[in-house]
Amino acid sequence: MSRSKFLLPLALTPLVLAGCLPFGGSSSDNDSDAGAISPSAELRRTEFGIPHIRADDFASMGFAYGYAQAEDNLCLIAEDTLTIRGLRSRYFGPNGSYRIPSNGAETTNLNADFFWKLSATDEAIAPLRTNSDPQAIAASSGYVAGFNRYLAEIEAGQHPGRHQRCRDADWLFALEESDMYRRYFRLAVLASSSVFVEGIATAQPPLNDGTVPVLEAPDPEQLLTDLTEAGGDEGMALPFPFNRELPFGSNMYGIASQASATGESMLFGNPHFPWEKTERLYLAHLKVGDHTEIMGASLYGLPAVLIGFNEHFAWSHTVSTAYRFTFYELTLNPANPTQYLYNGQFVDMEARDIRIEVLEPDGSVGTRTRTLYSSHYGPMLTFEAAGVPVLNWSSAKAYTLRDANAENDRLLNQFFRWNQANSLEEFIDLHASTLGVPWVNTVATGPGQQAYYGDITVVPNVSDAKASGAQCSSSLSPVFSQLAPGLPILNGADPACQWDTDPDAPAAGIFGPDNLPSLRRDDWVHNCNDSYWATNPAEFLTGFAGIIGDEETPRTLRTRKCMQQVVDRLDGSDGLPGTTGFDLRNLQSVVLDSSLLSEQLARQEVLGAYCASDSLVGTGGPVNIAEACDVLAQWDGTHNLDARGGHIWREFWRSVAGLSDTSPDKWLTPFDATDPINTPRDLNVANPQIATAFADAVQTIQDAPMALDAPIRDIQRSGVHDNGAPVFGGEGFEGSFTIAISRPNDLSDGVYDVNYGNSYIQTVTWRDDGTPRAEGFVTYSQSTDPASPYYRDMTDAYARKHWIRFPFTEQEIRSAQLPVQYDFDDLDELVETDD
């Protein structure tokens, strides 16, 4: 063994962590008191930077995990830390922009600081810390210490060249344990409160002194008229999590024996998460003692596997359609707009004076103060869509929000317990008994097991009768029944309009598992972000509350593509070689196929209707479509890298997708609830709106610096890497299953810059000896540091569709392990070991 007094970049090597390191944590799984421990963990890296951690306890596992994530993503985690502390204005200035890519929220740094200071308080995060299992608490403490160990090395000048964006920044803070619980809280409310960052941070009561306008209470009929005039169908679309396709979605399959060519179960999981910020996913293999071994992905800063596999089961998630919150309409005291009627009496809102430090233009540090208000339900808010005030704070009415996931103290327990489960049955039982999953559907299977689906998640217990009944509906209920079907806006004056509680629910105010949808099948289940209803179209799930999802309604093109692919594989009509049913290889071929359902449904009709002439009238006048028609006639119908012409179709379908599926102006054959895969269909190419959309799409490409016959490899690239790798795939609205999204859709540089889409991909099955066989990608790679060897290596492999083996057994790890090993002998020295 050779020894060295210097540190080489950890990303290049496996690690052994040993030695007495002081940090707040626990010395065993059942002892969560803060204090000094002796972490005992081994951290090895295999190809593509995949960490493999073996630890004696959860605190040591967290230590190694925190160290690895810091080495790969120090700056990103540091920025998120100052954000949830409410310090963006202090270090980046108050007027800078803040956004949460996964839910569409966007505001200023100052408003973000006010939001997080109001929301992620010590009181808000205390239940997560108090009620989490000892393993979760210990791993969180360990993560803090491991992250801070790496940070200390950076501050000591080690790892030269790494993390240039932040290594000398004044906002590079050491983590505190409270930062972990704020991050967990942030994750919990991702599909609820944090959608309304700006509306919560700026909500103010009307004042007669003129500083805040005195507004009229909204008139429902006028609201609908104003929204329609503001933008037609598009003006009727409210921001996420309302009625529009999300940039934040996923696809997943559970395949059991009757759909398997091998007879063995399989799972495919593929969240479509942002390629930037802390909703990126990170792959790791964790083994704690002799009782816990799990491999898979987690969001940054959470030391547990959120989507993964082991020898007993595999699972994945997709964003659910259920609402995690409700609005309440408050009737105000005419003499005091910060008092509201409840149970026959006017009660005071809680007022909080919040002070934010800001970096002034001259470099000095100033302050901004704001008083923000909450009802007993939750924060006050305002909200507008298409520039039209929908929820405002008038002298008569105001609006507040109750968030079920802000009350969810079981989030950590759900995933840590799943990570320790020893069978698929235990996994399914824990899904229901813990009921801590915040906002995602789950699909799971195991070796020789059925395929399981469940939207067993935290949902406000509001029945359809309560949401629409005379006692609890509000003046705006008719508006929301059209704008956001299923989302209640309740009468806040009546205690009877509080959420109900099921007898089998683990907490007050939510549905229990008996009133939430689930399904087990011997063939297959899926979810691709539509509701639970057609999880398997041979067995519809019905009878659930509207707040959970819609039933007997058209599925999106992506969901129809999801189902069609399985049906075609099972009857052999997809043209793939071999027997019918899935094996790992044809499953991988199907999920990265990059074909489009919209093209399959409509290309020939479009070419036949419009391409007999060289010209077609668009919004701005006649457009020469001759070359575009020739290109589309030769197009292979995919968004694979060598495909030419698909971008013309994408821009065409971008407009067509905005038309209602239920409108006869779009489809000639209407939706049939008995056949959700094949209906609606037959595009109405005689509709002038659709003809105009085609002409406008051609004009859009002609006006952009991109050729009509450009291959995808030249015009669609990673938007998060310098000189980004080419990226195949399309968007859900065009019926693509293989997802690559550019937001905003700006073609001024002639390139789709991909910043959402396929992210962590896993395909899992099991060998005869019971060990898992798993392959996949982290599409944007493991590290956000350009100096890391793991900055874009998986991205390049993904561009080639070169599936990466995820080493799980010791033999697999050793065969892929990188050749140098390090030991921590003490706090000051990393010892290099030749392996």
PDB file of all heavy atoms in Angstrom, residues 478-498:
ATOM      1  N   PRO A 478     -67.791  27.221  -9.568  1.00  0.00           N
ATOM      2  CA  PRO A 478     -68.128  27.029 -10.985  1.00  0.00           C
ATOM      3  C   PRO A 478     -66.964  27.351 -11.926  1.00  0.00           C
ATOM      4  O   PRO A 478     -66.827  26.737 -12.983  1.00  0.00           O
ATOM      5  CB  PRO A 478     -69.297  27.990 -11.204  1.00  0.00           C
ATOM      6  CG  PRO A 478     -69.891  28.207  -9.851  1.00  0.00           C
ATOM      7  CD  PRO A 478     -68.725  28.171  -8.910  1.00  0.00           C
ATOM      8  N   VAL A 479     -66.136  28.317 -11.538  1.00  0.00           N
ATOM      9  CA  VAL A 479     -64.980  28.652 -12.367  1.00  0.00           C
ATOM     10  C   VAL A 479     -63.976  27.508 -12.367  1.00  0.00           C
ATOM     11  O   VAL A 479     -63.504  27.061 -13.423  1.00  0.00           O
ATOM     12  CB  VAL A 479     -64.314  29.949 -11.864  1.00  0.00           C
ATOM     13  CG1 VAL A 479     -63.061  30.260 -12.667  1.00  0.00           C
ATOM     14  CG2 VAL A 479     -65.300  31.110 -11.925  1.00  0.00           C
ATOM     15  N   PHE A 480     -63.662  27.014 -11.185  1.00  0.00           N
ATOM     16  CA  PHE A 480     -62.647  25.961 -11.095  1.00  0.00           C
ATOM     17  C   PHE A 480     -63.140  24.633 -11.643  1.00  0.00           C
ATOM     18  O   PHE A 480     -62.333  23.805 -12.070  1.00  0.00           O
ATOM     19  CB  PHE A 480     -62.152  25.829  -9.659  1.00  0.00           C
ATOM     20  CG  PHE A 480     -61.079  26.819  -9.320  1.00  0.00           C
ATOM     21  CD1 PHE A 480     -61.391  28.113  -8.973  1.00  0.00           C
ATOM     22  CD2 PHE A 480     -59.741  26.472  -9.402  1.00  0.00           C
ATOM     23  CE1 PHE A 480     -60.407  29.041  -8.695  1.00  0.00           C
ATOM     24  CE2 PHE A 480     -58.738  27.387  -9.129  1.00  0.00           C
ATOM     25  CZ  PHE A 480     -59.067  28.679  -8.779  1.00  0.00           C
ATOM     26  N   SER A 481     -64.442  24.417 -11.676  1.00  0.00           N
ATOM     27  CA  SER A 481     -64.952  23.184 -12.284  1.00  0.00           C
ATOM     28  C   SER A 481     -64.631  23.137 -13.773  1.00  0.00           C
ATOM     29  O   SER A 481     -64.548  22.059 -14.358  1.00  0.00           O
ATOM     30  CB  SER A 481     -66.457  23.061 -12.063  1.00  0.00           C
ATOM     31  OG  SER A 481     -67.162  24.042 -12.811  1.00  0.00           O
ATOM     32  N   GLN A 482     -64.432  24.313 -14.383  1.00  0.00           N
ATOM     33  CA  GLN A 482     -64.034  24.368 -15.789  1.00  0.00           C
ATOM     34  C   GLN A 482     -62.527  24.531 -15.961  1.00  0.00           C
ATOM     35  O   GLN A 482     -61.918  23.929 -16.843  1.00  0.00           O
ATOM     36  CB  GLN A 482     -64.751  25.524 -16.482  1.00  0.00           C
ATOM     37  CG  GLN A 482     -66.263  25.359 -16.544  1.00  0.00           C
ATOM     38  CD  GLN A 482     -66.920  26.425 -17.386  1.00  0.00           C
ATOM     39  OE1 GLN A 482     -66.517  26.652 -18.530  1.00  0.00           O
ATOM     40  NE2 GLN A 482     -67.931  27.087 -16.829  1.00  0.00           N
ATOM     41  N   LEU A 483     -61.920  25.338 -15.118  1.00  0.00           N
ATOM     42  CA  LEU A 483     -60.493  25.601 -15.262  1.00  0.00           C
ATOM     43  C   LEU A 483     -59.631  24.464 -14.750  1.00  0.00           C
ATOM     44  O   LEU A 483     -58.581  24.167 -15.314  1.00  0.00           O
ATOM     45  CB  LEU A 483     -60.127  26.885 -14.505  1.00  0.00           C
ATOM     46  CG  LEU A 483     -60.744  28.178 -15.009  1.00  0.00           C
ATOM     47  CD1 LEU A 483     -60.309  29.338 -14.140  1.00  0.00           C
ATOM     48  CD2 LEU A 483     -60.355  28.419 -16.458  1.00  0.00           C
ATOM     49  N   ALA A 484     -60.019  23.844 -13.665  1.00  0.00           N
ATOM     50  CA  ALA A 484     -59.213  22.800 -13.032  1.00  0.00           C
ATOM     51  C   ALA A 484     -60.148  21.757 -12.433  1.00  0.00           C
ATOM     52  O   ALA A 484     -60.327  21.699 -11.217  1.00  0.00           O
ATOM     53  CB  ALA A 484     -58.315  23.406 -11.962  1.00  0.00           C
ATOM     54  N   PRO A 485     -60.774  20.931 -13.273  1.00  0.00           N
ATOM     55  CA  PRO A 485     -61.720  19.937 -12.757  1.00  0.00           C
ATOM     56  C   PRO A 485     -61.068  19.063 -11.689  1.00  0.00           C
ATOM     57  O   PRO A 485     -59.958  18.568 -11.858  1.00  0.00           O
ATOM     58  CB  PRO A 485     -62.080  19.126 -13.999  1.00  0.00           C
ATOM     59  CG  PRO A 485     -61.838  20.047 -15.149  1.00  0.00           C
ATOM     60  CD  PRO A 485     -60.652  20.879 -14.739  1.00  0.00           C
ATOM     61  N   GLY A 486     -61.771  18.902 -10.583  1.00  0.00           N
ATOM     62  CA  GLY A 486     -61.267  18.089  -9.485  1.00  0.00           C
ATOM     63  C   GLY A 486     -60.633  18.866  -8.368  1.00  0.00           C
ATOM     64  O   GLY A 486     -60.464  18.343  -7.270  1.00  0.00           O
ATOM     65  N   LEU A 487     -60.251  20.128  -8.622  1.00  0.00           N
ATOM     66  CA  LEU A 487     -59.601  20.931  -7.585  1.00  0.00           C
ATOM     67  C   LEU A 487     -60.661  21.694  -6.789  1.00  0.00           C
ATOM     68  O   LEU A 487     -61.313  22.586  -7.325  1.00  0.00           O
ATOM     69  CB  LEU A 487     -58.608  21.915  -8.199  1.00  0.00           C
ATOM     70  CG  LEU A 487     -57.954  22.890  -7.216  1.00  0.00           C
ATOM     71  CD1 LEU A 487     -57.160  22.157  -6.149  1.00  0.00           C
ATOM     72  CD2 LEU A 487     -57.065  23.885  -7.961  1.00  0.00           C
ATOM     73  N   PRO A 488     -60.832  21.374  -5.517  1.00  0.00           N
ATOM     74  CA  PRO A 488     -61.859  22.073  -4.732  1.00  0.00           C
ATOM     75  C   PRO A 488     -61.406  23.476  -4.325  1.00  0.00           C
ATOM     76  O   PRO A 488     -60.237  23.714  -4.035  1.00  0.00           O
ATOM     77  CB  PRO A 488     -62.018  21.183  -3.486  1.00  0.00           C
ATOM     78  CG  PRO A 488     -61.351  19.890  -3.812  1.00  0.00           C
ATOM     79  CD  PRO A 488     -60.265  20.246  -4.784  1.00  0.00           C
ATOM     80  N   ILE A 489     -62.377  24.380  -4.312  1.00  0.00           N
ATOM     81  CA  ILE A 489     -62.184  25.688  -3.701  1.00  0.00           C
ATOM     82  C   ILE A 489     -63.359  25.850  -2.733  1.00  0.00           C
ATOM     83  O   ILE A 489     -64.494  26.075  -3.135  1.00  0.00           O
ATOM     84  CB  ILE A 489     -62.066  26.815  -4.742  1.00  0.00           C
ATOM     85  CG1 ILE A 489     -61.857  28.154  -4.063  1.00  0.00           C
ATOM     86  CG2 ILE A 489     -63.193  26.818  -5.735  1.00  0.00           C
ATOM     87  CD1 ILE A 489     -61.331  29.239  -4.996  1.00  0.00           C
ATOM     88  N   LEU A 490     -63.085  25.703  -1.463  1.00  0.00           N
ATOM     89  CA  LEU A 490     -64.097  25.444  -0.441  1.00  0.00           C
ATOM     90  C   LEU A 490     -64.461  26.695   0.352  1.00  0.00           C
ATOM     91  O   LEU A 490     -63.703  27.673   0.398  1.00  0.00           O
ATOM     92  CB  LEU A 490     -63.596  24.366   0.513  1.00  0.00           C
ATOM     93  CG  LEU A 490     -63.242  23.020  -0.130  1.00  0.00           C
ATOM     94  CD1 LEU A 490     -62.515  22.127   0.868  1.00  0.00           C
ATOM     95  CD2 LEU A 490     -64.490  22.323  -0.657  1.00  0.00           C
ATOM     96  N   ASN A 491     -65.600  26.627   0.992  1.00  0.00           N
ATOM     97  CA  ASN A 491     -66.081  27.679   1.880  1.00  0.00           C
ATOM     98  C   ASN A 491     -65.304  27.632   3.185  1.00  0.00           C
ATOM     99  O   ASN A 491     -65.449  26.710   3.980  1.00  0.00           O
ATOM    100  CB  ASN A 491     -67.583  27.472   2.122  1.00  0.00           C
ATOM    101  CG  ASN A 491     -68.149  28.425   3.157  1.00  0.00           C
ATOM    102  OD1 ASN A 491     -67.514  29.407   3.545  1.00  0.00           O
ATOM    103  ND2 ASN A 491     -69.358  28.131   3.617  1.00  0.00           N
ATOM    104  N   GLY A 492     -64.476  28.637   3.415  1.00  0.00           N
ATOM    105  CA  GLY A 492     -63.622  28.635   4.601  1.00  0.00           C
ATOM    106  C   GLY A 492     -64.307  29.059   5.875  1.00  0.00           C
ATOM    107  O   GLY A 492     -63.698  29.006   6.949  1.00  0.00           O
ATOM    108  N   ALA A 493     -65.579  29.468   5.804  1.00  0.00           N
ATOM    109  CA  ALA A 493     -66.281  29.951   7.003  1.00  0.00           C
ATOM    110  C   ALA A 493     -66.902  28.828   7.815  1.00  0.00           C
ATOM    111  O   ALA A 493     -67.184  29.008   9.001  1.00  0.00           O
ATOM    112  CB  ALA A 493     -67.362  30.954   6.599  1.00  0.00           C
ATOM    113  N   ASP A 494     -67.107  27.673   7.195  1.00  0.00           N
ATOM    114  CA  ASP A 494     -67.871  26.599   7.831  1.00  0.00           C
ATOM    115  C   ASP A 494     -66.929  25.480   8.280  1.00  0.00           C
ATOM    116  O   ASP A 494     -66.241  24.869   7.450  1.00  0.00           O
ATOM    117  CB  ASP A 494     -68.898  26.057   6.842  1.00  0.00           C
ATOM    118  CG  ASP A 494     -69.935  25.170   7.501  1.00  0.00           C
ATOM    119  OD1 ASP A 494     -69.634  24.580   8.560  1.00  0.00           O
ATOM    120  OD2 ASP A 494     -71.046  25.063   6.944  1.00  0.00           O
ATOM    121  N   PRO A 495     -66.889  25.165   9.566  1.00  0.00           N
ATOM    122  CA  PRO A 495     -66.027  24.066  10.031  1.00  0.00           C
ATOM    123  C   PRO A 495     -66.361  22.724   9.375  1.00  0.00           C
ATOM    124  O   PRO A 495     -65.492  21.848   9.285  1.00  0.00           O
ATOM    125  CB  PRO A 495     -66.295  24.024  11.536  1.00  0.00           C
ATOM    126  CG  PRO A 495     -66.786  25.384  11.885  1.00  0.00           C
ATOM    127  CD  PRO A 495     -67.548  25.860  10.680  1.00  0.00           C
ATOM    128  N   ALA A 496     -67.586  22.569   8.896  1.00  0.00           N
ATOM    129  CA  ALA A 496     -67.952  21.320   8.228  1.00  0.00           C
ATOM    130  C   ALA A 496     -67.195  21.133   6.918  1.00  0.00           C
ATOM    131  O   ALA A 496     -67.198  20.029   6.359  1.00  0.00           O
ATOM    132  CB  ALA A 496     -69.458  21.301   7.964  1.00  0.00           C
ATOM    133  N   CYS A 497     -66.562  22.194   6.439  1.00  0.00           N
ATOM    134  CA  CYS A 497     -65.829  22.115   5.173  1.00  0.00           C
ATOM    135  C   CYS A 497     -64.350  21.789   5.367  1.00  0.00           C
ATOM    136  O   CYS A 497     -63.567  21.821   4.402  1.00  0.00           O
ATOM    137  CB  CYS A 497     -66.000  23.410   4.394  1.00  0.00           C
ATOM    138  SG  CYS A 497     -67.733  23.811   4.076  1.00  0.00           S
ATOM    139  N   GLN A 498     -63.961  21.521   6.597  1.00  0.00           N
ATOM    140  CA  GLN A 498     -62.626  20.974   6.830  1.00  0.00           C
ATOM    141  C   GLN A 498     -62.511  19.610   6.147  1.00  0.00           C
ATOM    142  O   GLN A 498     -63.509  18.930   5.890  1.00  0.00           O
ATOM    143  CB  GLN A 498     -62.374  20.809   8.338  1.00  0.00           C
ATOM    144  CG  GLN A 498     -62.278  22.098   9.106  1.00  0.00           C
ATOM    145  CD  GLN A 498     -60.868  22.693   9.073  1.00  0.00           C
ATOM    146  OE1 GLN A 498     -60.007  22.251   8.314  1.00  0.00           O
ATOM    147  NE2 GLN A 498     -60.638  23.701   9.905  1.00  0.00           N
TER     148      GLN A 498
END
